[in-house]
Amino acid sequence: MSIISYIRTIADYPKKGVLFRDISTLFLDPRGLRKAIDGLVMRYSGAGIDKIAVIEARGFLVGAPLAYTLGCGLVLIRKKGKLPGSTIGEDYALEYGTDRIEMHDDTIVAGEKILLVDDLLATGGSALAAIRLIEKNGAEVYETAFLVDLPDLGGSKKLKASGYSVFTLCEFE
Ligand code: PRP
Ligand code: HPA
């Protein structure tokens, strides 16, 4: 079965007219979870990635098993106020409002090769804010990787136009 068949679509969530692509069903099925993580492992083994940066909350689910398997560090990018140490932050626009993400200021070192991972790419607002955080510390974004792309929302186009490489396991038109 393809990755796409493990993802459930829920109409009118979080508001009327939205078709919400729900990855909880992919994580519920061990075959879906294995297929997704193996797809990323295949792409990035041997790539020399220093750290994987993940965006709260669903991105953590994808990045942690990938970092464990590849043997690299995991950088947690969290919603504002969640990290206990000294942080840097970035505001961004979401499909459904605005928010702020933060990262501990000592987790990424200049020159490191960072893979940015999240579950889903929609408008690209979260990914671009995360990239700004990573680059503030002088690190290189090697690639951005997602389980799902929603190309109609323009995120992949925006990221590519800004010069970033985008890898996705599936897309919903
Ligand atoms: C969702 C998703 C991505 C982001 C994609 O997260 O997990 O992080 O939105 O949208 P964008 O490309 O338009 O920025 P959300 O902020 O809903 O948080 P959650 O993972 O905590 O549910
Ligand atoms: N599914 C899950 N997360 C999302 C979506 C979606 O359709 N759009 C923006 N974030």
Side-chain angles (χ1 to χ4, degrees):
M1 284 218 303
S2 71
I3 292 282
I4 215 164
S5 56
Y6 291 101
I7 298 166
R8 168 172 69 173
T9 297
I10 296 183
D12 300 327
Y13 180 89
K15 59 181 184 195
K16 207 158 176 51
V18 174
L19 284 179
F20 191 85
R21 311 302 180 177
D22 175 23
I23 57 146
S24 71
T25 44
L26 179 143
F27 282 88
L28 188 61
D29 189 323
R31 293 164 302 178
L33 177 57
R34 184 170 297 279
K35 201 170 177 75
I37 302 305
D38 285 355
L40 296 174
V41 168
M42 264 197 300
R43 180 156 180 97
Y44 298 111
S45 11
I49 287 157
D50 294 304
K51 287 172 185 160
I52 291 176
V54 281
I55 306 174
E56 182 179 357
R58 286 171 272 159
F60 290 6
L61 301 171
V62 185
L66 183 60
Y68 174 84
T69 309
L70 294 179
C72 41
L74 192 66
V75 176
L76 305 186
I77 296 179
R78 300 210 59 181
K79 306 281 165 59
K80 67 170 177 307
K82 298 279 187 177
L83 290 169
S86 169
T87 59
I88 51 175
E90 279 287 333
D91 295 317
Y92 66 105
L94 260 188
E95 190 186 354
Y96 322 120
T98 64
D99 216 333
R100 181 175 178 82
I101 49 172
E102 294 174 343
M103 180 180 85
H104 276 140
D105 58 16
D106 58 356
T107 46
I108 285 178
V109 178
E112 281 181 332
K113 205 163 150 178
I114 308 294
L115 173 68
L116 177 66
V117 170
D118 205 352
D119 65 319
L120 178 140
L121 178 60
T123 66
S126 323
L128 282 162
I131 289 170
R132 292 197 293 278
L133 283 181
I134 293 164
E135 292 184 342
K136 260 184 194 172
N137 277 19
E140 174 211 345
V141 176
Y142 172 77
E143 187 159 82
T144 61
F146 308 86
L147 301 184
V148 182
D149 182 21
L150 306 180
D152 290 353
L153 295 178
S156 40
K157 220 177 241 171
K158 216 184 284 172
L159 281 173
K160 287 174 194 164
S162 307
Y164 299 100
S165 178
V166 178
F167 177 71
T168 55
L169 290 179
C170 70
E171 61 179 52
F172 286 87
E173 291 299 339

